[in-house]
Structures are given as structure tokens and as C-alpha cells.
Amino acid sequence: MGREIDQSEFSEADFQAFQAQLALETQSLADYLNDGRVDAETGTCGLELEACLIDRAFRPAAENDRFIHQLNDPLVVPELAKFNFELNTPPFPVAPKLLSALHSYLDTQWRQCRQTAQQLNLDVCQVGILPSLCDSDLHLGNVSSQQRYIALNQQILKGRRYRPLDIAIDGAADQLRLQHNDVMTEAATTSLQIHLQLAPDDFAAYYNASLLASALLVAAGANSPLVFDQVLWEESRIPLFEQSVALPCFVSNSGAIIHRVTFGRDYCKRSALELFQENLHAFPVLLPMDYSDKSQLKHLQLHNGTIWRWNRPLLQITQSGQLQLRLEHRSLPAGPTTTDNVANIALFYGLVSWLTNALAEADLPEFEQVRRNFYAAARWGLDTPLQWLDGVQASPADILLEQALPASIQALKNIGFDSSEVDYFLQEVMRERVMKRQTGARWQRDFYERNQRDSRALMEAYQYQCTQGAVHTW
């Protein structure tokens, strides 16, 4: 959905033409894979980090046009709401100093964003869901000016026959029940999206490893416990995003219902093509743009951008006409700090590297159990019981401390990551976070309850703490 479109109204003929082109491009993708027309370079990494603009009262500030114009960085772009923006990195090659390179780039970019915001009497914040956000902030008057967001809202509502979206989340302490006549509750959620370029032959194994890793990642990285002053899941982004664009689709060969924001319905058995074929057959077209250049698989990319798997395939055609394939992991929230972000990235790379090799010699766990693990970890965090490998039942914290963190550290060192950097981000930051149970979500929840549920005081303390180091030290 990063590609802008130039219209928001479509005819039935537009949908039919797009569907036909989508079928052709899905076959073209199969041809690229069968013919070996693929980019030989693999292992490059990148990310997208969504963030919030806030005013001096720590409330969302609908000023992203002014902020982005002043910043003048082509890698910082608008998001759905005017109080959101997104930072992008260039691709980084896998190299010994990858983690410090990512940290240095993100830190510099974040400092520039903060400087620019402060020139406008604003500030910036990395958090999964802004604690000071109110439901009344989420209206179409605050939608960003890009056509793709206006069109997306119209088409999702049309697909629902203009029935309101029901938001219903049961948390440990509170419940949230509300209705929305637009998709703006999606704008409450800001995330860290990690990309890894893969050889097509490796995609299925890494995708499946990423599915399995998702529960550990979301438990260790949780930073979204509050929605509109209600204490809900440790990572409330997960149910809120899923319900914000709820548009059920039927899988024709099974009668099953899946949603456009989804953990998926099965492993990838052979190649990424399976996921794009599912896109074609199971998900109705939302944005039927007609691109004159039919050689770049742009229709395939646009349609894929309207299906938000928590682990998603991405592709593009390079200038040399080769297929480039990436895996995008989407379950992690933004923040709290740059150091926390890079520790989460290191954990993702370490887990998928370890699990890809481990699963090559073992049977995959039952998919439905892996899916249940993900939602349990998002809801309850580090201490919820999971069904893990080899039938082991343990919490995410115990799995990480006893097996997954040591294995991830060794996996990264085996593929050439600098030993001191791996030890810093995964031993000194991630291990300490898990041992102390001091995620961003836990810190927010504890502060909120200690301070009479004062979300303004929480925001003020959070902004101050974000200048003091990683969350496990707060």
C-alpha cells in the first residue's frame, strides 16, 4: 500500500479488468520462478517504522503534511492518519556490523525527525498505540491526503455493504466495545515492519520459521497495552488492526473464512507463489488501478498491499528485469526506543535463522497450534503457556531464556554477525528485558495503574524515559 494511486472512484469494468490482469501477473510470477529469473543477491535487510506526532499536551497532532514538508526526507512518508508518519531505511546488506549500522541509521533519522517536529512546536513518539489517543481523534477529517487511503476506506466500507465496523476486545482488566463507520481505528496502530530479501527456493522455509517465531517476537516486543484508556492485550495492535479493516473472504475450495489482516491459514509448502495464488482466488480486489506498464507486476504488488498478513511476501522487478522476493514480518509494535527496535530486529533475524535450520530436520508443529500461540502471546505476553517444539509446553519467557535466545545468538554468529554486537542486543538488551519481564507494554501498564490511570502522566513519563536508554532499564 506504499504506492500512491491517482483515483478513488472505480467502475465495475475497472474491477473486471484488474482481476484479469491480476490473473496474468500471477502466472507471470510463476514463470519468473520456473525460469529462474530471480535476483541472485539475497540477505539484504530493511525496515519500516511507523510513528506518531504529538503536541505539547502529549496528544496526537494532525500535522504530518507540514512535518514531512519541513523534514524533506524522501524516506519519511505519510501514514493513514495525519498524526502518523513512516520512516523507511535503504536496504542493508548482511554484514558483520549490520546491527550497529541499522542502529546508527535509525538513530540519526529519528533525531532529525525529532528536531524537525520540535521546530513546529511538536514532538515524535514511537509506541504501538498512543496512550493519549481518543476514539474521537479517529475520524475522516484526520485521514492523510493521499488518494490510496481515501479509496481504501471507501472500498472496505463498500465491501461490508456500509455496515459499521465492530471493535470488541476483551482484556485482562477491561473490555472495549465500539463501532466505527470508517477504517480510521487502523490509524491507532503503529508498527515496526522488518524485511529480509530471500532466494525464492528459501522463501517457504523462512516464511514457516517466521510464523513459528511470531509468538516469541510479539510477547518479547509488546508495547500496546492501552486503547482509549482501557487496559487490554499486551499487544492490542493485533486485535485492533484485524478488526479495523475486517472484511471476511471465503476460500472457495474449503468454505473457510479468512480476513484481510490475518495470521494465515496454513504453512507455505513449496514457494511464495502459493500465497499470491491465494491472494488471487480468496481476496476480492479493493483498488483496481490500471497501470500502463504491465511488465513490473504492479497490479500484483498493489493487491498484495491490501492483504495484511502478519508475515507477508513482498516482491518487485529490478531494473535488470529480475524478480526480487522479500519476507516482511509485521507483528512488532514501534518502540519504545531505537535500541529496543534493533534488539527486536536482531531477535527476528536470529529466530528465523535458527528455526529455518532446526525445522529442516524436524516436523513442523501443527499450524493451528502455531496460530493459537501467536494470539495467546499477543494477549497475555511473556508468561502465557505455549505449545512449543517437540510437544514442550512453556511460556515465551522460558522458551526464550532456555533455548531460543542462546540458539538465535549462535545462529547470528554462525552467519557472520559481529559477536560483540549480537551479545549486546540479544544478551544485554533482549535477555535482560525478558528476565525482568520489562517490555514496553508491562512498563506502561504498571505505570498507568500506579498513577490512577492518568494517560497524560503516562505519556509524559514515557517520552522522558525514551531518552534514558532501552525499556529494560526504566
Side-chain angles (χ1 to χ4, degrees), residues 134-191:
C134 299
D135 185 27
S136 58
D137 297 314
L138 300 172
H139 55 81
L140 291 180
N142 275 341
V143 71
S144 289
S145 57
Q146 283 66 29
Q147 286 284 340
R148 64 181 181 271
Y149 297 128
I150 297 166
L152 180 68
N153 180 72
Q154 290 176 349
Q155 295 305 317
I156 287 178
L157 294 181
K158 182 180 177 182
R160 292 181 56 83
R161 298 181 182 177
Y162 300 97
R163 294 189 301 268
L165 289 143
D166 293 305
I167 307 297
I169 306 173
D170 293 327
D174 299 319
Q175 294 181 333
L176 182 69
R177 297 287 187 274
L178 57 91
Q179 288 189 328
H180 256 260
N181 292 311
D182 53 56
V183 300
M184 285 296 287
T185 46
E186 180 196 336
T189 66
T190 47
S191 63

Short mmCIF file of all heavy atoms in Angstrom, two decimals, residues 134-191:
data_model
loop_
_atom_site.label_atom_id
_atom_site.label_comp_id
_atom_site.label_asym_id
_atom_site.label_seq_id
_atom_site.Cartn_x
_atom_site.Cartn_y
_atom_site.Cartn_z
N CYS A 134 -7.63 9.26 21.65
CA CYS A 134 -9.05 9.08 21.94
C CYS A 134 -9.78 8.59 20.69
O CYS A 134 -9.36 8.87 19.56
CB CYS A 134 -9.69 10.38 22.40
SG CYS A 134 -8.98 11.06 23.90
N ASP A 135 -10.87 7.89 20.92
CA ASP A 135 -11.67 7.46 19.78
C ASP A 135 -12.11 8.64 18.92
O ASP A 135 -12.19 8.55 17.69
CB ASP A 135 -12.90 6.68 20.29
CG ASP A 135 -13.72 6.08 19.18
OD1 ASP A 135 -13.16 5.80 18.11
OD2 ASP A 135 -14.94 5.90 19.37
N SER A 136 -12.35 9.80 19.57
CA SER A 136 -12.80 10.99 18.83
C SER A 136 -11.73 11.55 17.90
O SER A 136 -12.02 12.37 17.04
CB SER A 136 -13.25 12.07 19.82
OG SER A 136 -12.19 12.40 20.70
N ASP A 137 -10.47 11.11 18.05
CA ASP A 137 -9.40 11.54 17.14
C ASP A 137 -9.45 10.79 15.81
O ASP A 137 -8.81 11.20 14.84
CB ASP A 137 -8.02 11.29 17.77
CG ASP A 137 -7.79 12.09 19.03
OD1 ASP A 137 -8.10 13.30 19.02
OD2 ASP A 137 -7.30 11.52 20.02
N LEU A 138 -10.19 9.69 15.78
CA LEU A 138 -10.16 8.79 14.63
C LEU A 138 -11.38 9.02 13.75
O LEU A 138 -12.38 8.30 13.81
CB LEU A 138 -10.09 7.34 15.12
CG LEU A 138 -8.85 7.03 15.97
CD1 LEU A 138 -8.93 5.65 16.58
CD2 LEU A 138 -7.58 7.19 15.16
N HIS A 139 -11.28 10.05 12.92
CA HIS A 139 -12.37 10.40 12.01
C HIS A 139 -11.76 10.79 10.67
O HIS A 139 -10.55 11.04 10.56
CB HIS A 139 -13.21 11.54 12.58
CG HIS A 139 -12.42 12.77 12.93
ND1 HIS A 139 -12.03 13.70 11.98
CD2 HIS A 139 -11.90 13.20 14.11
CE1 HIS A 139 -11.34 14.66 12.56
NE2 HIS A 139 -11.24 14.39 13.85
N LEU A 140 -12.58 10.85 9.64
CA LEU A 140 -12.06 11.08 8.28
C LEU A 140 -11.49 12.47 8.09
O LEU A 140 -10.75 12.71 7.15
CB LEU A 140 -13.15 10.79 7.26
CG LEU A 140 -13.55 9.32 7.12
CD1 LEU A 140 -14.64 9.14 6.07
CD2 LEU A 140 -12.35 8.45 6.78
N GLY A 141 -11.80 13.40 9.00
CA GLY A 141 -11.15 14.70 8.94
C GLY A 141 -9.67 14.61 9.23
O GLY A 141 -8.91 15.51 8.87
N ASN A 142 -9.23 13.50 9.85
CA ASN A 142 -7.82 13.30 10.16
C ASN A 142 -7.14 12.30 9.23
O ASN A 142 -6.02 11.88 9.50
CB ASN A 142 -7.65 12.83 11.61
CG ASN A 142 -7.60 13.99 12.59
OD1 ASN A 142 -7.34 15.12 12.20
ND2 ASN A 142 -7.86 13.70 13.86
N VAL A 143 -7.80 11.91 8.13
CA VAL A 143 -7.15 10.99 7.20
C VAL A 143 -6.13 11.77 6.36
O VAL A 143 -6.37 12.93 5.99
CB VAL A 143 -8.18 10.27 6.30
CG1 VAL A 143 -8.81 11.22 5.29
CG2 VAL A 143 -7.54 9.09 5.59
N SER A 144 -4.98 11.15 6.09
CA SER A 144 -3.97 11.80 5.26
C SER A 144 -4.51 12.03 3.86
O SER A 144 -5.46 11.38 3.41
CB SER A 144 -2.70 10.95 5.22
OG SER A 144 -2.04 10.97 6.46
N SER A 145 -3.88 12.95 3.15
CA SER A 145 -4.44 13.44 1.88
C SER A 145 -4.23 12.49 0.71
O SER A 145 -4.79 12.71 -0.36
CB SER A 145 -3.81 14.80 1.54
OG SER A 145 -2.40 14.71 1.47
N GLN A 146 -3.44 11.43 0.87
CA GLN A 146 -3.16 10.53 -0.25
C GLN A 146 -4.43 9.80 -0.70
O GLN A 146 -5.22 9.34 0.12
CB GLN A 146 -2.08 9.50 0.15
CG GLN A 146 -0.67 10.05 0.17
CD GLN A 146 -0.45 11.10 1.23
OE1 GLN A 146 -1.11 11.08 2.28
NE2 GLN A 146 0.44 12.04 0.98
N GLN A 147 -4.58 9.68 -2.01
CA GLN A 147 -5.77 9.04 -2.58
C GLN A 147 -5.93 7.59 -2.12
O GLN A 147 -7.05 7.10 -1.98
CB GLN A 147 -5.70 9.09 -4.11
CG GLN A 147 -5.96 10.45 -4.72
CD GLN A 147 -7.44 10.81 -4.71
OE1 GLN A 147 -8.30 9.95 -4.60
NE2 GLN A 147 -7.71 12.10 -4.81
N ARG A 148 -4.81 6.90 -1.91
CA ARG A 148 -4.92 5.47 -1.59
C ARG A 148 -5.68 5.25 -0.28
O ARG A 148 -6.39 4.26 -0.14
CB ARG A 148 -3.54 4.81 -1.54
CG ARG A 148 -2.60 5.30 -0.46
CD ARG A 148 -1.27 4.55 -0.56
NE ARG A 148 -0.30 4.93 0.46
CZ ARG A 148 0.58 5.91 0.33
NH1 ARG A 148 0.58 6.64 -0.78
NH2 ARG A 148 1.45 6.17 1.28
N TYR A 149 -5.53 6.16 0.67
CA TYR A 149 -6.21 5.98 1.95
C TYR A 149 -7.71 6.27 1.81
O TYR A 149 -8.55 5.58 2.41
CB TYR A 149 -5.59 6.89 3.01
CG TYR A 149 -4.13 6.56 3.28
CD1 TYR A 149 -3.15 7.55 3.23
CD2 TYR A 149 -3.74 5.26 3.56
CE1 TYR A 149 -1.82 7.25 3.48
CE2 TYR A 149 -2.41 4.95 3.80
CZ TYR A 149 -1.46 5.95 3.76
OH TYR A 149 -0.14 5.65 3.99
N ILE A 150 -8.05 7.28 1.04
CA ILE A 150 -9.45 7.60 0.81
C ILE A 150 -10.14 6.45 0.07
O ILE A 150 -11.24 6.01 0.44
CB ILE A 150 -9.57 8.92 0.01
CG1 ILE A 150 -8.97 10.07 0.84
CG2 ILE A 150 -11.01 9.20 -0.37
CD1 ILE A 150 -8.72 11.34 0.05
N ALA A 151 -9.45 5.93 -0.96
CA ALA A 151 -10.02 4.83 -1.73
C ALA A 151 -10.14 3.56 -0.89
O ALA A 151 -11.13 2.83 -0.99
CB ALA A 151 -9.15 4.57 -2.97
N LEU A 152 -9.13 3.28 -0.08
CA LEU A 152 -9.16 2.09 0.76
C LEU A 152 -10.36 2.13 1.70
O LEU A 152 -11.09 1.14 1.84
CB LEU A 152 -7.87 2.01 1.57
CG LEU A 152 -7.73 0.80 2.50
CD1 LEU A 152 -7.59 -0.47 1.70
CD2 LEU A 152 -6.53 0.99 3.42
N ASN A 153 -10.59 3.25 2.33
CA ASN A 153 -11.74 3.38 3.22
C ASN A 153 -13.05 3.14 2.47
O ASN A 153 -13.91 2.38 2.92
CB ASN A 153 -11.73 4.78 3.85
CG ASN A 153 -12.90 4.99 4.79
OD1 ASN A 153 -12.95 4.43 5.88
ND2 ASN A 153 -13.87 5.80 4.36
N GLN A 154 -13.18 3.76 1.30
CA GLN A 154 -14.42 3.61 0.53
C GLN A 154 -14.66 2.15 0.13
O GLN A 154 -15.79 1.65 0.24
CB GLN A 154 -14.36 4.49 -0.72
CG GLN A 154 -14.43 5.99 -0.43
CD GLN A 154 -14.27 6.82 -1.67
OE1 GLN A 154 -13.90 6.32 -2.74
NE2 GLN A 154 -14.53 8.12 -1.56
N GLN A 155 -13.61 1.47 -0.31
CA GLN A 155 -13.80 0.12 -0.83
C GLN A 155 -14.04 -0.89 0.28
O GLN A 155 -14.82 -1.84 0.10
CB GLN A 155 -12.58 -0.29 -1.67
CG GLN A 155 -12.42 0.54 -2.94
CD GLN A 155 -13.67 0.52 -3.81
OE1 GLN A 155 -14.30 -0.53 -4.00
NE2 GLN A 155 -14.06 1.68 -4.31
N ILE A 156 -13.42 -0.71 1.43
CA ILE A 156 -13.69 -1.63 2.55
C ILE A 156 -15.13 -1.45 3.03
O ILE A 156 -15.84 -2.43 3.27
CB ILE A 156 -12.67 -1.42 3.68
CG1 ILE A 156 -11.31 -2.01 3.26
CG2 ILE A 156 -13.16 -2.06 4.98
CD1 ILE A 156 -10.22 -1.84 4.25
N LEU A 157 -15.57 -0.21 3.15
CA LEU A 157 -16.96 0.01 3.57
C LEU A 157 -17.94 -0.53 2.54
O LEU A 157 -18.98 -1.13 2.89
CB LEU A 157 -17.20 1.49 3.82
CG LEU A 157 -16.42 2.10 4.99
CD1 LEU A 157 -16.78 3.57 5.13
CD2 LEU A 157 -16.69 1.35 6.28
N LYS A 158 -17.62 -0.35 1.27
CA LYS A 158 -18.49 -0.89 0.22
C LYS A 158 -18.55 -2.41 0.30
O LYS A 158 -19.61 -3.02 0.17
CB LYS A 158 -17.96 -0.45 -1.15
CG LYS A 158 -18.81 -0.92 -2.32
CD LYS A 158 -18.22 -0.42 -3.64
CE LYS A 158 -19.02 -0.95 -4.83
NZ LYS A 158 -18.40 -0.51 -6.12
N GLY A 159 -17.39 -3.04 0.54
CA GLY A 159 -17.35 -4.49 0.67
C GLY A 159 -18.15 -5.00 1.86
O GLY A 159 -18.62 -6.14 1.86
N ARG A 160 -18.28 -4.15 2.88
CA ARG A 160 -19.08 -4.51 4.05
C ARG A 160 -20.54 -4.08 3.89
O ARG A 160 -21.32 -4.17 4.85
CB ARG A 160 -18.50 -3.83 5.29
CG ARG A 160 -17.15 -4.36 5.72
CD ARG A 160 -16.68 -3.63 6.96
NE ARG A 160 -17.66 -3.75 8.04
CZ ARG A 160 -17.76 -4.79 8.86
NH1 ARG A 160 -16.93 -5.80 8.72
NH2 ARG A 160 -18.68 -4.82 9.80
N ARG A 161 -20.90 -3.58 2.70
CA ARG A 161 -22.24 -3.05 2.45
C ARG A 161 -22.58 -1.93 3.44
O ARG A 161 -23.72 -1.80 3.88
CB ARG A 161 -23.29 -4.17 2.48
CG ARG A 161 -23.04 -5.22 1.42
CD ARG A 161 -24.08 -6.31 1.43
NE ARG A 161 -23.77 -7.33 0.44
CZ ARG A 161 -24.47 -8.45 0.26
NH1 ARG A 161 -25.55 -8.67 1.02
NH2 ARG A 161 -24.11 -9.32 -0.66
N TYR A 162 -21.54 -1.18 3.79
CA TYR A 162 -21.64 0.00 4.64
C TYR A 162 -22.12 -0.30 6.06
O TYR A 162 -22.56 0.58 6.78
CB TYR A 162 -22.50 1.08 3.97
CG TYR A 162 -21.92 1.49 2.64
CD1 TYR A 162 -22.39 0.93 1.46
CD2 TYR A 162 -20.85 2.38 2.58
CE1 TYR A 162 -21.82 1.27 0.23
CE2 TYR A 162 -20.28 2.72 1.36
CZ TYR A 162 -20.77 2.16 0.19
OH TYR A 162 -20.19 2.48 -1.01
N ARG A 163 -22.00 -1.56 6.44
CA ARG A 163 -22.24 -1.89 7.85
C ARG A 163 -21.06 -1.37 8.68
O ARG A 163 -19.90 -1.46 8.25
CB ARG A 163 -22.38 -3.41 8.04
CG ARG A 163 -23.62 -4.00 7.38
CD ARG A 163 -23.80 -5.45 7.80
NE ARG A 163 -22.63 -6.25 7.44
CZ ARG A 163 -22.51 -6.92 6.30
NH1 ARG A 163 -23.47 -6.87 5.39
NH2 ARG A 163 -21.43 -7.62 6.06
N PRO A 164 -21.30 -0.85 9.88
CA PRO A 164 -20.20 -0.33 10.69
C PRO A 164 -19.25 -1.45 11.10
O PRO A 164 -19.61 -2.62 11.17
CB PRO A 164 -20.89 0.29 11.90
CG PRO A 164 -22.22 -0.38 11.95
CD PRO A 164 -22.61 -0.69 10.54
N LEU A 165 -18.01 -1.04 11.37
CA LEU A 165 -17.01 -1.97 11.87
C LEU A 165 -17.17 -2.08 13.39
O LEU A 165 -17.22 -1.07 14.10
CB LEU A 165 -15.61 -1.45 11.54
CG LEU A 165 -15.25 -1.53 10.05
CD1 LEU A 165 -14.43 -0.33 9.63
CD2 LEU A 165 -14.51 -2.81 9.75
N ASP A 166 -17.28 -3.30 13.87
CA ASP A 166 -17.42 -3.56 15.31
C ASP A 166 -16.05 -3.85 15.90
O ASP A 166 -15.34 -4.75 15.44
CB ASP A 166 -18.34 -4.76 15.56
CG ASP A 166 -19.77 -4.46 15.15
OD1 ASP A 166 -20.32 -3.47 15.64
OD2 ASP A 166 -20.33 -5.22 14.33
N ILE A 167 -15.68 -3.08 16.92
CA ILE A 167 -14.45 -3.31 17.64
C ILE A 167 -14.82 -3.91 19.00
O ILE A 167 -15.55 -3.28 19.78
CB ILE A 167 -13.65 -2.01 17.85
CG1 ILE A 167 -13.43 -1.29 16.51
CG2 ILE A 167 -12.33 -2.29 18.55
CD1 ILE A 167 -12.61 -2.04 15.49
N ALA A 168 -14.36 -5.12 19.26
CA ALA A 168 -14.67 -5.81 20.52
C ALA A 168 -13.42 -6.53 20.98
O ALA A 168 -12.99 -7.52 20.37
CB ALA A 168 -15.82 -6.80 20.32
N ILE A 169 -12.80 -6.02 22.05
CA ILE A 169 -11.56 -6.61 22.57
C ILE A 169 -11.73 -6.81 24.06
O ILE A 169 -12.02 -5.86 24.81
CB ILE A 169 -10.34 -5.70 22.29
CG1 ILE A 169 -10.25 -5.35 20.79
CG2 ILE A 169 -9.06 -6.37 22.75
CD1 ILE A 169 -9.18 -4.32 20.46
N ASP A 170 -11.54 -8.05 24.51
CA ASP A 170 -11.59 -8.37 25.93
C ASP A 170 -10.17 -8.45 26.46
O ASP A 170 -9.35 -9.25 25.98
CB ASP A 170 -12.30 -9.71 26.16
CG ASP A 170 -13.76 -9.64 25.79
OD1 ASP A 170 -14.36 -8.56 25.98
OD2 ASP A 170 -14.31 -10.65 25.31
N GLY A 171 -9.86 -7.62 27.45
CA GLY A 171 -8.54 -7.62 28.04
C GLY A 171 -8.52 -8.22 29.43
O GLY A 171 -9.55 -8.67 29.95
N ALA A 172 -7.33 -8.22 30.01
CA ALA A 172 -7.19 -8.77 31.36
C ALA A 172 -7.96 -7.95 32.37
O ALA A 172 -8.52 -8.48 33.34
CB ALA A 172 -5.71 -8.81 31.73
N ALA A 173 -8.00 -6.63 32.19
CA ALA A 173 -8.65 -5.75 33.16
C ALA A 173 -9.93 -5.12 32.63
O ALA A 173 -10.87 -4.90 33.38
CB ALA A 173 -7.68 -4.64 33.58
N ASP A 174 -9.97 -4.81 31.34
CA ASP A 174 -11.07 -4.03 30.78
C ASP A 174 -11.59 -4.68 29.51
O ASP A 174 -11.01 -5.62 28.97
CB ASP A 174 -10.60 -2.60 30.47
CG ASP A 174 -10.11 -1.86 31.70
OD1 ASP A 174 -10.75 -1.98 32.75
OD2 ASP A 174 -9.08 -1.16 31.59
N GLN A 175 -12.69 -4.13 29.01
CA GLN A 175 -13.26 -4.51 27.73
C GLN A 175 -13.44 -3.26 26.87
O GLN A 175 -13.72 -2.18 27.41
CB GLN A 175 -14.62 -5.19 27.89
CG GLN A 175 -14.58 -6.52 28.60
CD GLN A 175 -15.97 -7.12 28.70
OE1 GLN A 175 -16.98 -6.41 28.71
NE2 GLN A 175 -16.03 -8.44 28.77
N LEU A 176 -13.28 -3.42 25.58
CA LEU A 176 -13.54 -2.33 24.65
C LEU A 176 -14.65 -2.75 23.70
O LEU A 176 -14.57 -3.81 23.07
CB LEU A 176 -12.27 -1.98 23.85
CG LEU A 176 -12.41 -0.81 22.88
CD1 LEU A 176 -12.58 0.51 23.64
CD2 LEU A 176 -11.19 -0.72 21.96
N ARG A 177 -15.67 -1.92 23.59
CA ARG A 177 -16.78 -2.15 22.66
C ARG A 177 -17.11 -0.83 21.98
O ARG A 177 -17.46 0.15 22.66
CB ARG A 177 -18.03 -2.65 23.40
CG ARG A 177 -17.86 -3.99 24.09
CD ARG A 177 -17.82 -5.14 23.09
NE ARG A 177 -17.84 -6.44 23.75
CZ ARG A 177 -16.76 -7.07 24.20
NH1 ARG A 177 -15.57 -6.49 24.05
NH2 ARG A 177 -16.85 -8.24 24.77
N LEU A 178 -16.97 -0.78 20.67
CA LEU A 178 -17.37 0.43 19.94
C LEU A 178 -17.59 0.08 18.48
O LEU A 178 -17.23 -1.00 18.01
CB LEU A 178 -16.31 1.53 20.09
CG LEU A 178 -14.87 1.23 19.67
CD1 LEU A 178 -14.63 1.60 18.23
CD2 LEU A 178 -13.91 2.02 20.55
N GLN A 179 -18.21 1.00 17.76
CA GLN A 179 -18.44 0.86 16.33
C GLN A 179 -17.83 2.05 15.60
O GLN A 179 -17.78 3.16 16.13
CB GLN A 179 -19.94 0.79 16.02
CG GLN A 179 -20.59 -0.52 16.44
CD GLN A 179 -22.01 -0.62 15.91
OE1 GLN A 179 -22.72 0.37 15.78
NE2 GLN A 179 -22.45 -1.85 15.61
N HIS A 180 -17.37 1.77 14.36
CA HIS A 180 -16.83 2.84 13.53
C HIS A 180 -17.41 2.71 12.13
O HIS A 180 -17.56 1.60 11.60
CB HIS A 180 -15.30 2.75 13.45
CG HIS A 180 -14.62 3.78 14.29
ND1 HIS A 180 -14.10 4.94 13.79
CD2 HIS A 180 -14.40 3.82 15.63
CE1 HIS A 180 -13.57 5.65 14.77
NE2 HIS A 180 -13.73 4.99 15.89
N ASN A 181 -17.71 3.86 11.54
CA ASN A 181 -18.21 3.88 10.17
C ASN A 181 -17.10 4.17 9.16
O ASN A 181 -17.36 4.57 8.03
CB ASN A 181 -19.32 4.93 10.04
CG ASN A 181 -20.55 4.53 10.81
OD1 ASN A 181 -21.02 3.40 10.69
ND2 ASN A 181 -21.07 5.43 11.62
N ASP A 182 -15.85 3.97 9.56
CA ASP A 182 -14.70 4.12 8.67
C ASP A 182 -13.58 3.24 9.22
O ASP A 182 -13.73 2.59 10.26
CB ASP A 182 -14.26 5.59 8.60
CG ASP A 182 -14.03 6.22 9.96
OD1 ASP A 182 -13.21 5.66 10.72
OD2 ASP A 182 -14.66 7.24 10.28
N VAL A 183 -12.44 3.23 8.51
CA VAL A 183 -11.33 2.35 8.90
C VAL A 183 -10.30 3.06 9.76
O VAL A 183 -9.19 2.57 9.95
CB VAL A 183 -10.64 1.76 7.65
CG1 VAL A 183 -11.62 0.96 6.82
CG2 VAL A 183 -9.96 2.85 6.82
N MET A 184 -10.65 4.22 10.31
CA MET A 184 -9.65 5.04 10.98
C MET A 184 -9.11 4.42 12.28
O MET A 184 -8.06 4.85 12.76
CB MET A 184 -10.20 6.43 11.25
CG MET A 184 -10.27 7.30 10.00
SD MET A 184 -8.64 7.64 9.30
CE MET A 184 -8.00 8.81 10.50
N THR A 185 -9.78 3.43 12.85
CA THR A 185 -9.18 2.80 14.04
C THR A 185 -7.87 2.11 13.68
O THR A 185 -7.02 1.90 14.55
CB THR A 185 -10.14 1.79 14.69
OG1 THR A 185 -10.72 0.97 13.67
CG2 THR A 185 -11.23 2.50 15.46
N GLU A 186 -7.68 1.79 12.40
CA GLU A 186 -6.38 1.25 11.99
C GLU A 186 -5.25 2.24 12.29
O GLU A 186 -4.12 1.84 12.59
CB GLU A 186 -6.38 0.91 10.49
CG GLU A 186 -5.08 0.34 9.99
CD GLU A 186 -4.95 0.36 8.48
OE1 GLU A 186 -5.98 0.37 7.78
OE2 GLU A 186 -3.80 0.39 8.00
N ALA A 187 -5.55 3.53 12.20
CA ALA A 187 -4.53 4.56 12.41
C ALA A 187 -4.05 4.61 13.85
O ALA A 187 -3.04 5.26 14.14
CB ALA A 187 -5.08 5.93 12.01
N ALA A 188 -4.75 3.94 14.75
CA ALA A 188 -4.28 3.89 16.14
C ALA A 188 -3.03 3.02 16.28
O ALA A 188 -2.32 3.11 17.28
CB ALA A 188 -5.39 3.34 17.04
N THR A 189 -2.77 2.16 15.31
CA THR A 189 -1.71 1.15 15.44
C THR A 189 -0.48 1.55 14.65
O THR A 189 -0.56 1.87 13.46
CB THR A 189 -2.22 -0.21 14.95
OG1 THR A 189 -2.47 -0.17 13.54
CG2 THR A 189 -3.51 -0.60 15.67
N THR A 190 0.67 1.56 15.31
CA THR A 190 1.93 1.86 14.64
C THR A 190 2.91 0.74 14.91
O THR A 190 3.04 0.25 16.02
CB THR A 190 2.50 3.21 15.09
OG1 THR A 190 2.46 3.31 16.51
CG2 THR A 190 1.70 4.36 14.50
N SER A 191 3.65 0.34 13.87
CA SER A 191 4.41 -0.90 13.94
C SER A 191 5.83 -0.76 13.42
O SER A 191 6.20 0.24 12.78
CB SER A 191 3.67 -1.99 13.14
OG SER A 191 3.59 -1.63 11.78
#
